Amino acid sequence: MHPKLSLDQESNILGQFIPVHYHYNMLLDEQRMEAFRNAIQSVIRSGMRVVELGGGTGILSFLAARCGAKVWCVERNIELVEVARKAIRSNGFESMITVVHEDATEFIPPEPVDAVICEMLHVGLLREKQAQVIDAFKKNYQARFGDRLPRFLPEASLLTFQLLEYPFLFSGYQVQVPVFQQPTPNQVGIELSELQTYGQVIYDESYPMQFGWSDKVTASQSGHLSAIRFITQNLIAIDTEKQCSYPWPNQFLILPIEEPIPIEEGQEVAVEFCYRAGESLQSLSETIRISKQIHNPSIQSTPRVAA
Ligand SMILES: C[S@@+](CC[C@H](N)C(=O)[O-])C[C@H]1O[C@@H](n2cnc3c(N)ncnc32)[C@H](O)[C@@H]1O
């Protein structure tokens, strides 16, 4: 949690709170929708019972109900509860989906369920409370129904980063701000290292709430290290029968470094950062330390990433 905010205030900050007029972005994000559509079709069968945590407009609950499931769609923003109830009625699914106005960390379904869908996914598991919400749900569920857990969609998230040369030049104006990129190849920036994995969450197992890195990274090519790019891949479902999976990458996050460092291919760079799941981008930025591993420690530089 942000140190200066109460729980109530925190639930109102952007990321936790996503206004109705932002939801079209998610509905129109075809890469996201395709991954969830395919995953839900591969896992959900007629007669199953499903919970959706953070249902928003109800789109993922609808996809599960369309496969024949009975669904509890849990949403804490009353505006979205109303939007979802209206949309579910007008799509003719009100007998299959119950929209529950409740905090997902407190919700327990009235009977055991087969699957839980939760899309509070943000790069690095930052900003949204995916990790906390699923962890709380598991504890509440097991206290009520025993150890056996339902299947979780997504099944896993893989957290990685790489060193980057990024221009931070916009219409000829240089400014160091966090940048989001579409999660597709050939984005702006020169990759200066391989991807480094710093965290893995498997949602039906116990997982860490704190992530970080404190180790060397070897430069894969020479350049001006000016940023770190965070890349998160989510596996929405794994279909063992068809031997395929339905991945969905979050937008890439690029955090600038105050002083770019020239580095040579093969050179080692010490990188440190740490943050708690669900925290702000700034709380991650503030912990980042980077230093060149050079032989004479008296001329070692330690620039910090801009907050
Ligand atoms: C990224 S949106 C996804 C919405 C919808 N599932 C979709 O896929 O379009 C996350 C949703 O979770 C809701 N949410 C966040 N924290 C919650 C909580 N603790 N309990 C219930 N809903 C929550 C937000 O209001 C938002 O509607």
Side-chain angles (χ1 to χ4, degrees), residues 16 18 23 26 32 52 54-56 59-60 74-77 80 102-104 119-120 128 133:
Q16 309 297 312
I18 305 175
H23 278 255
M26 292 179 264
R32 182 188 93 110
E52 189 192 358
I59 179 81
L60 304 184
V74 185
E75 172 57 54
R76 78 172 165 199
N77 175 348
L80 282 161
E102 196 172 327
D103 191 312
E119 199 281 88
M120 299 184 196
E128 297 189 64
V133 164

Side-chain angles (χ1 to χ4, degrees), residues 2-242:
H2 192 290
K4 296 188 195 79
L5 297 176
S6 70
L7 249 185
D8 207 37
Q9 288 169 319
E10 203 196 34
S11 64
N12 285 326
I13 62 176
L14 206 60
Q16 309 297 312
F17 172 73
I18 305 175
V20 176
H21 60 270
Y22 280 20
H23 278 255
Y24 77 92
N25 284 313
M26 292 179 264
L27 297 166
L28 282 175
D29 181 343
E30 194 39 36
Q31 205 179 358
R32 182 188 93 110
M33 290 314 308
E34 187 185 19
F36 275 94
R37 247 187 347 256
N38 288 338
I40 288 169
Q41 272 167 22
S42 118
V43 170
I44 307 301
R45 298 279 170 268
S46 184
M48 280 188 172
R49 284 162 170 69
V50 172
V51 164
E52 189 192 358
L53 303 172
T57 57
I59 179 81
L60 304 184
S61 292
F62 158 74
L63 294 175
R66 207 168 58 173
C67 296
K70 176 178 176 180
V71 186
W72 289 271
C73 170
V74 185
E75 172 57 54
R76 78 172 165 199
N77 175 348
I78 186 63
E79 257 192 291
L80 282 161
V81 166
E82 283 159 12
V83 168
R85 283 190 180 138
K86 189 171 168 201
I88 286 163
R89 247 194 332 272
S90 67
N91 282 279
F93 277 82
E94 67 274 30
S95 63
M96 309 281 284
I97 306 170
T98 306
V99 180
V100 183
H101 181 212
E102 196 172 327
D103 191 312
T105 57
E106 287 163 16
F107 174 75
I108 304 174
E111 53 192 296
V113 296
D114 303 287
V116 174
I117 302 167
C118 183
E119 199 281 88
M120 299 184 196
L121 293 164
H122 196 86
V123 55
L125 295 180
L126 288 153
R127 300 188 73 209
E128 297 189 64
K129 300 281 188 197
Q130 177 88 1
Q132 283 87 342
V133 164
I134 293 185
D135 188 58
F137 178 87
K138 278 161 46 178
K139 288 184 178 130
N140 297 337
Y141 187 88
Q142 286 181 318
R144 173 71 60 89
F145 299 116
D147 284 347
R148 192 160 181 273
L149 285 168
R151 185 159 175 183
F152 288 90
L153 280 76
E155 303 204 22
S157 297
L158 186 70
L159 314 183
T160 67
F161 75 94
Q162 67 186 162
L163 307 180
L164 194 72
E165 176 174 328
Y166 188 82
F168 296 105
L169 194 62
F170 309 92
S171 301
Y173 185 60
Q174 189 129 35
V175 55
Q176 290 184 310
V177 287
V179 171
F180 287 97
Q181 287 182 323
Q182 285 311 309
T184 49
N186 304 321
Q187 291 294 340
V188 174
I190 300 168
E191 298 173 4
L192 298 182
S193 76
E194 302 295 324
L195 285 181
Q196 312 291 317
T197 300
Y198 67 93
Q200 176 177 290
V201 170
I202 298 174
Y203 289 100
D204 66 2
E205 295 178 3
S206 67
Y207 49 77
M209 290 292 169
Q210 180 116 8
F211 301 106
W213 179 272
S214 178
D215 206 347
K216 292 169 201 146
V217 176
T218 304
S220 55
Q221 66 170 304
S222 304
H224 274 79
L225 170 55
S226 57
I228 295 187
R229 175 149 62 193
F230 291 86
I231 296 183
T232 299
Q233 183 66 266
N234 307 290
L235 267 187
I236 310 304
I238 300 162
D239 189 327
T240 43
E241 262 173 41
K242 290 194 191 140

